Amino acid sequence: MKIECIIDGKILSLAINSNKPLLDILTENIDNESILVKCRGNHCGNCVVLLDGEAVLSCLVPAFELRSKTILTFEGFSKTKNYRDIERAYNSTGHKPCQYCYNSKTLLIESIVNRYSITNTLPDISELISEMNIIKCNCLDIHSFKEIIYTTISYRKRRNVRKS
Amino acid sequence: MFESLSSPNIHTPQNLAEYANTITHYPQSSLWAFGSSIMDSENFYPNLNANVEIIYLGLIDELYKFQRNDRAVEFGSMVNLNEMLTSGKSILPQVLIDTLKSIGSFSIRNRISLGGAIANKKFTSALIGTFYILDTQIELRYLKKKRLHNHFFPISKLVEKNGELILPDTSLISRIRISINSYNYQYFVTVDDPCLATSNAVSLAFICNLEQISTTNARLAITYPNKGFFSSRDTDMLINNLQLPIEPSAQTEIINKILNQIGAEFVLNPIQLDRTTKLLSSLMNNLNYTIFTTTHE
């Protein structure tokens, strides 16, 4: 099956099996090194990517759903200004995910921040707990996670105000 | 690595007429909404015996529609749970909103379609129990004599005695009609994640009208993801016309009677049994608390 999609800003045309999971496409066909695991749908949460700006588990997205979609992996995201906001929030709060889940948690934070930086609201703790449960790594507690997100949102808003 | 394997044929109908055409030619195809529960099965990829025909429903516009009138709200089956929450926030019954919020996180709900949550064969979603007590109707499109027919069925007609949902083969859930009845007491509580801990999770949905100090039109559903859901008229009779507050001895008696009725239909494991007892007890305490706060206002 031939599929055209945008991965990390590059327009790609891939000839792959129609039911191949996005995770396998990224690791085998594109040699993306930012995804470290292959849990094969066991919900470990370490394969998060942004599909049209929303965090998804790449092991649960089949190839045929990728037609004309935009995929952003940590490899591409780490070169953006939005990543700098999150990195600054890690440094200023003093909390940082472990090496194992760093990429996935950063992308998850980006999708939450994206959702809330448009509106003038902040996510509540119950929503953050359920969001955090996607990734099965306990390196960050919920209060540190919340602190990182709130700080990133404030940085993002400040940057957007300056831009406008 | 497995590129030499033959891959399934993907049909992407753009509307229901095209879907009808495809399903008449390939009646054995798998219907694909977001596919999360299909993809996390162990041998989905690579698999030599994979179903060779898949109909992807994501491009059918009719399945994304949302309509409302004075009596009911209708959602297309491809509406995801987040869209349902945002568009139905002010109309949907609180018990349904709580049920929707209890399913996964925002990112997970984005990848769960309403139809997929109902038709999932791996586990019974808490949504089915809630839909049951709200008298929800499901529109099915099914093949009969090589033609596609559609009909609204009350959800009670589609469930077996053990709470398992039965959908005819080659049928497609196209719309869900939720009636807007006003119940002044709605309660939903769930323990554990139904998707990940299917054998231990339990959820309870309850609606009734509180008239002075008694309950009327009470309906209760308890969902066990690995078994089905429990709801019966006998149980509803037990909790109907209850005089509030319920004394502790009466509480124990009612809970034991409900547990006996559940035991007649399901074999529960000790964790589920314990959780059911506690959920029922918390429901009764909440009823007592509500009546206490309303009478002392």
Side-chain angles (χ1 to χ4, degrees):
Chain A
M1 187 182 202
K2 207 173 178 184
I3 286 158
E4 284 190 6
C5 58
I6 303 172
I7 299 180
D8 291 338
K10 291 171 197 155
I11 303 167
L12 299 174
S13 179
L14 304 161
I16 39 177
N17 280 0
S18 56
N19 60 340
K20 191 171 187 175
L22 173 59
L23 171 69
D24 289 3
I25 298 170
L26 292 173
T27 51
E28 290 169 11
N29 300 65
I30 303 177
D31 291 329
N32 191 303
E33 287 169 2
S34 65
I35 295 174
L36 311 166
V37 286
K38 259 191 166 186
C39 76
R40 294 212 168 273
N42 279 334
H43 300 268
C44 77
N46 282 322
C47 62
V48 173
V49 295
L50 299 180
L51 184 72
D52 287 342
E54 284 292 344
V56 292
L57 298 179
S58 59
C59 59
L60 299 180
V61 182
F64 66 83
E65 259 191 58
L66 299 177
R67 271 196 189 130
S68 57
K69 293 266 169 82
T70 307
I71 298 123
L72 189 62
T73 68
F74 183 76
E75 215 169 89
F77 179 66
S78 61
K79 292 166 192 158
T80 61
K81 279 187 181 172
N82 288 351
Y83 172 63
R84 302 280 168 267
D85 293 336
I86 300 175
E87 211 179 22
R88 273 177 66 200
Y90 285 153
N91 292 334
S92 67
T93 56
H95 308 299
K96 204 175 182 180
C98 68
Q99 232 179 345
Y100 188 64
C101 69
Y102 186 90
N103 302 353
S104 291
K105 271 201 183 133
T106 306
L107 288 174
L108 182 66
I109 289 168
E110 170 60 16
S111 90
I112 300 170
V113 169
N114 246 340
R115 212 180 303 147
Y116 282 94
S117 56
I118 310 160
T119 58
N120 252 343
T121 52
L122 288 170
D124 59 13
I125 197 104
S126 59
E127 192 186 334
L128 291 181
I129 291 172
S130 64
E131 284 286 3
M132 221 177 125
N133 281 341
I134 296 176
I135 299 168
K136 301 269 170 296
C137 177
N138 300 322
C139 60
L140 277 183
D141 64 282
I142 184 64
H143 296 289
S144 322
F145 190 67
K146 182 182 150 194
E147 212 180 318
I148 294 167
I149 285 176
Y150 283 17
T151 316
T152 316
I153 290 175
S154 69
Y155 285 149
R156 186 70 52 89
K157 273 185 187 162
R158 229 178 288 165
R159 193 156 61 82
N160 289 344
V161 168
R162 244 181 276 149
K163 219 194 285 176
S164 60
Chain B
M1 200 190 288
F2 300 98
E3 256 67 27
S4 54
L5 289 177
S6 62
S7 60
N9 289 330
I10 313 294
H11 304 277
T12 50
Q14 310 278 325
N15 50 48
L16 283 171
E18 276 185 32
Y19 166 80
N21 201 16
T22 317
I23 196 77
T24 40
H25 283 93
Y26 306 100
Q28 297 304 316
S29 332
S30 299
L31 301 184
W32 191 288
F34 287 109
S36 307
S37 73
I38 306 175
M39 288 210 59
D40 65 10
S41 56
E42 262 174 37
N43 54 355
F44 174 74
Y45 179 86
N47 185 4
L48 290 170
N49 307 315
N51 191 333
V52 285
E53 308 292 339
I54 288 176
I55 301 178
Y56 177 51
L57 305 171
L59 303 177
I60 304 177
D61 281 344
E62 288 101 317
L63 301 183
Y64 288 95
K65 280 187 180 161
F66 163 69
Q67 273 181 321
R68 69 161 292 191
N69 56 34
D70 294 345
R71 289 182 179 180
V73 200
E74 277 180 18
F75 288 96
S77 60
M78 274 302 289
V79 171
N80 72 41
L81 301 190
N82 277 335
E83 288 167 342
M84 193 177 167
L85 262 176
T86 44
S87 53
K89 207 175 181 181
S90 53
I91 333 156
L92 292 175
Q94 189 57 39
V95 69
L96 183 57
I97 291 176
D98 292 343
T99 312
L100 289 169
K101 280 183 179 169
S102 75
I103 301 172
S105 66
F106 187 93
S107 314
I108 299 289
R109 286 196 297 269
N110 253 348
R111 304 274 309 160
I112 303 177
S113 68
L114 189 49
I118 295 170
N120 188 356
K121 283 179 182 163
K122 270 190 177 173
F123 59 86
T124 310
S125 155
L127 262 181
I128 298 177
T130 306
F131 279 153
Y132 185 84
I133 59 172
L134 289 172
D135 287 327
T136 302
Q137 293 190 319
I138 296 178
E139 187 192 44
L140 290 182
R141 287 175 192 259
Y142 53 93
L143 270 182
K144 199 175 174 187
K145 292 179 184 169
K146 293 196 174 179
R147 281 193 64 196
L148 200 69
H149 297 257
N150 63 315
H151 196 268
F152 269 104
F153 293 94
I155 203 164
S156 52
K157 290 255 169 80
L158 297 172
V159 284
E160 270 192 345
K161 214 182 167 189
N162 62 0
E164 215 176 295
L165 197 74
I166 345 146
L167 298 171
D169 283 344
T170 70
S171 65
L172 163 77
I173 297 176
S174 51
R175 274 184 294 176
I176 289 97
R177 186 186 285 162
I178 304 157
S179 52
I180 316 171
N181 291 329
S182 54
Y183 292 94
N184 62 11
Y185 182 82
Q186 304 185 29
Y187 184 78
F188 176 81
V189 65
T190 184
V191 193
D192 228 332
D193 190 331
C195 316
L196 302 176
T198 44
S199 51
N200 293 334
V202 183
S203 45
L204 178 147
F206 177 77
I207 49 171
C208 77
N209 278 321
L210 288 181
E211 284 173 10
Q212 292 181 343
I213 53 158
S214 66
T215 58
T216 53
N217 299 330
R219 298 199 71 186
L220 172 84
I222 303 173
T223 312
Y224 304 102
N226 63 339
K227 294 185 171 74
F229 75 93
F230 171 81
S231 185
S232 83
R233 281 196 181 167
D234 294 341
T235 318
D236 294 345
M237 295 281 277
L238 267 177
I239 43 182
N240 230 332
N241 297 323
L242 268 180
Q243 296 297 310
L244 300 173
I246 315 162
E247 296 296 322
S249 56
Q251 275 191 29
T252 322
E253 197 184 323
I254 294 167
I255 291 171
N256 285 338
K257 279 182 184 169
I258 296 175
L259 287 178
N260 283 339
Q261 289 174 359
I262 296 171
E265 289 190 20
F266 300 121
V267 183
L268 300 181
N269 66 37
I271 296 176
Q272 282 179 326
L273 193 67
D274 186 50
R275 284 177 171 175
T276 310
T277 315
K278 284 179 179 152
L279 290 187
L280 286 168
S281 158
S282 80
L283 165 69
M284 309 240 173
N285 289 334
N286 194 277
L287 271 170
N288 284 350
Y289 174 75
T290 312
I291 210 73
F292 178 79
T293 46
T294 46
T295 49
H296 285 76
E297 261 172 12

Coordinates of all heavy atoms in Angstrom, one line a residue, chain B residues 128-157:
Chain B
I128 N -22.3 0.9 28.2 CA -23.5 0.1 27.9 C -24.5 0.1 29.0 O -25.7 0.2 28.8 CB -23.1 -1.3 27.4 CG1 -22.2 -1.2 26.2 CG2 -24.3 -2.2 27.2 CD1 -21.6 -2.5 25.7
G129 N -24.0 -0.1 30.2 CA -24.8 -0.1 31.4 C -25.6 1.2 31.6 O -26.8 1.3 31.8
T130 N -24.8 2.3 31.4 CA -25.4 3.7 31.5 C -26.5 3.9 30.4 O -27.6 4.4 30.6 CB -24.3 4.7 31.4 OG1 -23.4 4.4 32.4 CG2 -24.9 6.1 31.7
F131 N -26.1 3.5 29.2 CA -27.1 3.6 28.1 C -28.3 2.8 28.4 O -29.4 3.2 28.0 CB -26.5 3.1 26.7 CG -25.6 4.1 26.1 CD1 -24.5 3.7 25.2 CD2 -25.8 5.5 26.2 CE1 -23.7 4.6 24.6 CE2 -25.0 6.4 25.6 CZ -23.9 6.0 24.8
Y132 N -28.1 1.6 29.0 CA -29.3 0.7 29.3 C -30.3 1.4 30.2 O -31.5 1.4 30.0 CB -28.8 -0.6 29.9 CG -29.8 -1.6 30.1 CD1 -30.2 -2.5 29.1 CD2 -30.4 -1.8 31.3 CE1 -31.2 -3.4 29.3 CE2 -31.4 -2.7 31.6 CZ -31.8 -3.5 30.5 OH -32.8 -4.5 30.7
I133 N -29.7 2.0 31.3 CA -30.7 2.6 32.2 C -31.3 3.9 31.7 O -32.3 4.4 32.2 CB -30.0 2.9 33.6 CG1 -28.8 3.7 33.6 CG2 -29.7 1.5 34.3 CD1 -28.3 4.2 34.9
L134 N -30.6 4.5 30.7 CA -31.2 5.7 30.1 C -32.1 5.4 28.9 O -32.5 6.3 28.2 CB -30.1 6.6 29.6 CG -29.2 7.3 30.7 CD1 -28.0 8.0 30.1 CD2 -30.1 8.3 31.5
D135 N -32.4 4.1 28.7 CA -33.3 3.7 27.5 C -32.8 4.2 26.2 O -33.6 4.8 25.4 CB -34.7 4.2 27.8 CG -35.4 3.3 28.8 OD1 -35.0 2.2 29.0 OD2 -36.2 3.9 29.6
T136 N -31.5 4.1 25.9 CA -30.9 4.5 24.7 C -31.3 3.6 23.5 O -31.5 2.4 23.7 CB -29.4 4.6 24.9 OG1 -29.1 5.4 26.0 CG2 -28.7 5.1 23.6
Q137 N -31.4 4.2 22.4 CA -31.7 3.4 21.2 C -30.5 3.5 20.2 O -29.9 4.5 20.1 CB -32.9 4.0 20.4 CG -34.2 3.8 21.3 CD -35.4 4.1 20.5 OE1 -35.5 5.1 19.7 NE2 -36.5 3.3 20.7
I138 N -30.3 2.3 19.6 CA -29.2 2.2 18.6 C -29.7 2.0 17.2 O -30.5 1.1 17.0 CB -28.2 1.1 19.1 CG1 -27.6 1.4 20.4 CG2 -27.1 0.8 18.1 CD1 -26.7 0.3 21.0
E139 N -29.2 2.8 16.3 CA -29.6 2.5 14.9 C -28.6 1.5 14.3 O -27.4 1.8 14.2 CB -29.7 3.8 14.1 CG -30.2 3.6 12.7 CD -30.0 4.7 11.8 OE1 -28.9 5.3 11.7 OE2 -31.0 5.1 11.1
L140 N -29.1 0.4 13.8 CA -28.3 -0.6 13.1 C -28.6 -0.6 11.6 O -29.7 -0.4 11.2 CB -28.5 -2.0 13.7 CG -28.1 -2.3 15.1 CD1 -28.4 -3.7 15.4 CD2 -26.6 -2.0 15.3
R141 N -27.5 -0.7 10.8 CA -27.7 -0.9 9.4 C -27.2 -2.3 9.1 O -26.0 -2.6 9.4 CB -26.9 0.1 8.6 CG -27.5 1.5 8.7 CD -26.7 2.6 8.0 NE -27.3 3.9 8.5 CZ -28.2 4.6 7.7 NH1 -28.5 4.2 6.5 NH2 -28.7 5.7 8.1
Y142 N -28.1 -3.1 8.6 CA -27.7 -4.5 8.4 C -28.1 -5.0 7.0 O -29.1 -4.5 6.4 CB -28.3 -5.4 9.5 CG -29.8 -5.2 9.7 CD1 -30.7 -6.0 9.0 CD2 -30.3 -4.2 10.4 CE1 -32.0 -5.9 9.1 CE2 -31.6 -4.0 10.6 CZ -32.5 -4.8 9.9 OH -33.9 -4.6 10.1
L143 N -27.4 -6.0 6.5 CA -27.7 -6.6 5.2 C -28.9 -7.6 5.3 O -28.9 -8.5 6.2 CB -26.5 -7.4 4.7 CG -25.5 -6.6 3.9 CD1 -24.4 -7.6 3.4 CD2 -26.1 -6.0 2.7
K144 N -29.9 -7.5 4.5 CA -30.9 -8.4 4.4 C -31.3 -8.6 3.0 O -31.7 -7.5 2.3 CB -32.1 -7.9 5.3 CG -33.1 -9.0 5.7 CD -34.1 -8.4 6.6 CE -35.2 -9.4 6.9 NZ -36.3 -8.7 7.7
K145 N -31.3 -9.8 2.4 CA -31.5 -10.0 1.0 C -30.8 -9.1 0.1 O -31.3 -8.4 -0.8 CB -33.0 -9.9 0.7 CG -33.8 -11.0 1.4 CD -35.3 -10.9 1.1 CE -36.1 -12.0 1.9 NZ -37.5 -11.7 1.9
K146 N -29.5 -9.0 0.4 CA -28.6 -8.1 -0.4 C -28.9 -6.7 -0.4 O -28.5 -5.9 -1.3 CB -28.4 -8.7 -1.8 CG -27.8 -10.0 -1.9 CD -27.3 -10.4 -3.2 CE -26.5 -11.7 -3.2 NZ -26.1 -12.1 -4.5
R147 N -29.7 -6.2 0.6 CA -30.0 -4.8 0.7 C -29.7 -4.3 2.1 O -29.8 -5.1 3.0 CB -31.5 -4.5 0.3 CG -31.7 -4.5 -1.1 CD -33.1 -3.9 -1.4 NE -33.1 -2.5 -1.0 CZ -34.3 -1.9 -0.9 NH1 -35.4 -2.5 -1.0 NH2 -34.3 -0.6 -0.5
L148 N -29.3 -3.1 2.2 CA -29.0 -2.5 3.5 C -30.2 -1.9 4.2 O -30.8 -1.0 3.6 CB -27.8 -1.5 3.4 CG -27.0 -1.2 4.6 CD1 -26.2 -2.4 5.0 CD2 -26.1 0.0 4.4
H149 N -30.6 -2.4 5.3 CA -31.8 -1.9 6.0 C -31.3 -1.2 7.2 O -30.2 -1.5 7.8 CB -32.7 -3.0 6.4 CG -33.2 -3.8 5.3 ND1 -34.5 -3.6 4.8 CD2 -32.7 -4.7 4.5 CE1 -34.7 -4.4 3.8 NE2 -33.6 -5.1 3.6
N150 N -32.1 -0.2 7.7 CA -31.7 0.4 8.9 C -32.9 0.5 9.9 O -34.1 0.7 9.4 CB -31.1 1.8 8.7 CG -32.0 2.8 8.1 OD1 -32.7 2.4 7.1 ND2 -32.1 4.0 8.6
H151 N -32.6 0.4 11.2 CA -33.7 0.4 12.1 C -33.2 0.8 13.5 O -32.1 0.4 13.8 CB -34.3 -1.1 12.2 CG -35.6 -1.1 12.8 ND1 -35.7 -1.4 14.2 CD2 -36.9 -1.0 12.3 CE1 -37.0 -1.4 14.5 NE2 -37.7 -1.1 13.4
F152 N -34.0 1.5 14.3 CA -33.6 1.8 15.6 C -34.0 0.7 16.6 O -35.2 0.3 16.5 CB -34.2 3.2 16.1 CG -33.4 4.3 15.8 CD1 -33.7 5.2 14.7 CD2 -32.3 4.6 16.6 CE1 -32.9 6.3 14.5 CE2 -31.5 5.7 16.3 CZ -31.8 6.6 15.3
F153 N -33.1 0.2 17.4 CA -33.4 -0.8 18.4 C -33.2 -0.2 19.8 O -32.1 0.4 20.0 CB -32.6 -2.0 18.2 CG -32.8 -2.8 16.9 CD1 -32.0 -2.5 15.8 CD2 -33.7 -3.8 16.9 CE1 -32.2 -3.2 14.6 CE2 -33.9 -4.5 15.7 CZ -33.2 -4.2 14.6
P154 N -34.1 -0.5 20.7 CA -33.7 -0.1 22.1 C -32.6 -1.0 22.5 O -32.6 -2.2 22.2 CB -35.0 -0.4 22.9 CG -36.0 -1.0 22.0 CD -35.4 -1.0 20.6
I155 N -31.7 -0.5 23.3 CA -30.5 -1.3 23.7 C -30.9 -2.6 24.5 O -30.2 -3.6 24.4 CB -29.5 -0.4 24.5 CG1 -28.1 -1.0 24.4 CG2 -29.9 -0.2 25.9 CD1 -27.0 -0.1 24.8
S156 N -32.1 -2.5 25.2 CA -32.5 -3.7 25.9 C -32.8 -4.9 25.0 O -32.8 -6.0 25.4 CB -33.8 -3.3 26.8 OG -34.7 -2.7 25.9
K157 N -33.2 -4.6 23.7 CA -33.4 -5.7 22.8 C -32.2 -6.3 22.3 O -32.2 -7.4 21.7 CB -34.2 -5.1 21.6 CG -35.7 -4.7 21.9 CD -36.6 -5.8 21.4 CE -38.0 -5.5 21.9 NZ -38.8 -4.5 21.2

